[in-house]
Structures are given as structure tokens and as C-alpha cells.
Amino acid sequence: MKIKSILVKSIAVAAMSVTGLVVANNAGSNTAQAAIVQNDASVVTVNYVSNNSISVYNNYENPVATGQTLASNTSWKVIKTAYDSKGHKWYDLGKNQWVRAKYVTIGYHAVATQTQTTAPASTQAPAQSQTQTQNTQTASNTSASSYTSNASGSEASAKAWIANRESGGSYSASNGQYVGKYQLSASYLNGDYSAANQERVADNYVKSRYGSWSAAKSFWQANGWY
């Protein structure tokens, strides 16, 4: 009995020693894990000016350039924030289109002479980018009390269709950072959530990005956002 007890204790001690080594080795490896973290930005602006544009990648863990580029001084909505195994920070601009955080600045920055780069129709464009020209126009018109949209016929129908899908047609609808009838990023509205400004910003956004509400509707139907 005594011999058996000693043998059991010896085995237990040996097992604990091996476990301790494994834990120590894991603790000392300091290997970073790639992971998606809490999103820390709603909109980012490209600030890399050396080549006047940055590349878009298909993921953050093993990034491969998609061939798409984003021009400096253009702003883009952020869907996710993540870190790769080397500790580099990345932003997903929608549909797994990632950019390095070091090349962008959090927030929206108006530059009247710079317009956005629109991705080819054959690619999945990042969601809700906005031209700096439009933002400047919006800022100068926030005090206006009325606005009349030029959309009519099929254009008005497509616009109403999108509004219904986005908010049920409510100017007071909100979903996190997205506000109003057309669920625009709050930063695009510059603090003016009036119906007139929502209509103005939505028209300018769609015109600059898609060219028409009908084209925006087609994109929405294919991707679930515009």
C-alpha cells in the first residue's frame, strides 16, 4: 500500500511538471492572434499621399490586393476593425474589402477639390463613401429650411424604394451611426437631421456614387446596401 501511494504521488508530480512546462512555453511564446475587435470608427478618410491612393485587400489575415485602390482624401464607411497576427490594424469597408489603418484617419474630412474613387461596377464597392465636394455643399446649406428633390418618375420610384428598405420611410429612424430616411452616416449630415437636409444629402450622395437612384436601387438589390 505504501509503495503504491508513493508511486501514485510520483506520477502526479511528474504530470504537474510536464503541464507546467507546457503552460510556461505557451506563456513565453508571445504569439499574437489575428482577431476582429470592437469597431472603433464609423468613417475613415484616406490620408496616404505618397502615391495618392491606397490598395484594398481581400482579408486581414492573409491579405491579397484586389486591384482596387482608394484615392487620398476620400472617406469610407467602416464595417469592422481587426488586427492581424503581426499586430497591424485593419478596417473592413464592406464585403471583406480591407485597408491598413495606418493609411487612413478616423473621421470625415472635407476637401472641396477632391472627389471619391468609385470602384468599377464589376467589383464590390465599399459601402457608403461620400465626396468631399458634397460634404462642403451640405455644410454650407445646413441652415436651409427646405429642399426640393429633382427625382421624378422612375427615379422617384427607385428613391422611395430604397427609403422604404432602409427605414420604412421615416426621417427619425436610427440604427447606431446611421440616421434618418436613407440611413446615412451621421457624419455625412453634419448634425443637421432635418428632412430637407436628409433629402439633399441623399440626392448628392447617390448622384456622385451611382449616377442615379435607379442604379443605386440595382446595386442595393444585388448587395443589400447602397
Side-chain angles (χ1 to χ4, degrees), residues 128 156-171 173-175 178-184 213 216-226:
Q128 287 197 2
S157 177
K159 183 178 181 179
W161 186 93
I162 288 179
N164 186 58
R165 294 301 186 282
E166 291 290 326
S167 67
S170 173
Y171 288 113
S174 63
N175 180 18
Y178 306 112
V179 177
K181 187 175 181 178
Y182 303 98
Q183 289 295 282
L184 300 166
W213 280 100
K217 177 182 176 180
S218 296
F219 188 90
W220 200 107
Q221 290 173 318
N223 297 278
W225 50 267
Y226 77 110

Side-chain angles (χ1 to χ4, degrees), residues 21-219:
L21 286 173
V22 172
V23 172
N25 287 336
N26 286 341
S29 65
N30 292 323
T31 300
Q33 298 296 316
I36 293 176
V37 298
Q38 183 176 356
N39 200 9
D40 65 356
S42 59
V43 176
V44 294
T45 298
V46 180
N47 63 5
Y48 189 61
V49 296
S50 294
N51 296 319
N52 293 318
S53 66
I54 62 173
S55 295
V56 176
Y57 295 84
N58 62 347
N59 66 73
Y60 69 94
E61 295 176 284
N62 298 292
V64 176
T66 64
Q68 181 184 350
T69 60
L70 305 180
S72 291
N73 298 316
T74 57
S75 296
W76 305 88
K77 185 177 80 172
V78 175
I79 306 300
K80 299 174 186 175
T81 302
Y83 286 87
D84 61 26
S85 60
K86 296 180 180 180
H88 299 145
K89 188 177 182 180
W90 293 78
Y91 289 119
D92 179 12
L93 306 182
K95 300 294 183 179
N96 287 318
Q97 295 178 108
W98 297 84
V99 295
R100 281 281 299 275
K102 66 182 288 186
Y103 300 132
V104 299
T105 301
I106 293 176
Y108 190 92
H109 303 283
V111 179
T113 59
Q114 178 70 49
T115 58
Q116 73 180 41
T117 297
T118 303
S122 59
T123 66
Q124 294 177 327
Q128 287 197 2
S129 72
Q130 181 98 340
T131 66
Q132 281 69 23
T133 300
Q134 178 255 300
N135 187 69
T136 302
Q137 292 171 338
T138 299
S140 66
N141 289 320
T142 54
S143 60
S145 59
S146 64
Y147 170 78
T148 301
S149 175
N150 291 324
S152 61
S154 60
E155 283 296 284
S157 177
K159 183 178 181 179
W161 186 93
I162 288 179
N164 186 58
R165 294 301 186 282
E166 291 290 326
S167 67
S170 173
Y171 288 113
S172 60
S174 63
N175 180 18
Q177 65 187 352
Y178 306 112
V179 177
K181 187 175 181 178
Y182 303 98
Q183 289 295 282
L184 300 166
S185 176
S187 63
Y188 296 168
L189 296 168
N190 290 318
D192 181 357
Y193 302 148
S194 67
N197 196 49
Q198 288 185 39
E199 294 290 341
R200 180 188 302 108
V201 173
D203 278 344
N204 288 338
Y205 165 68
V206 166
K207 181 179 180 181
S208 65
R209 182 164 180 76
Y210 300 102
S212 70
W213 280 100
S214 295
K217 177 182 176 180
S218 296
F219 188 90

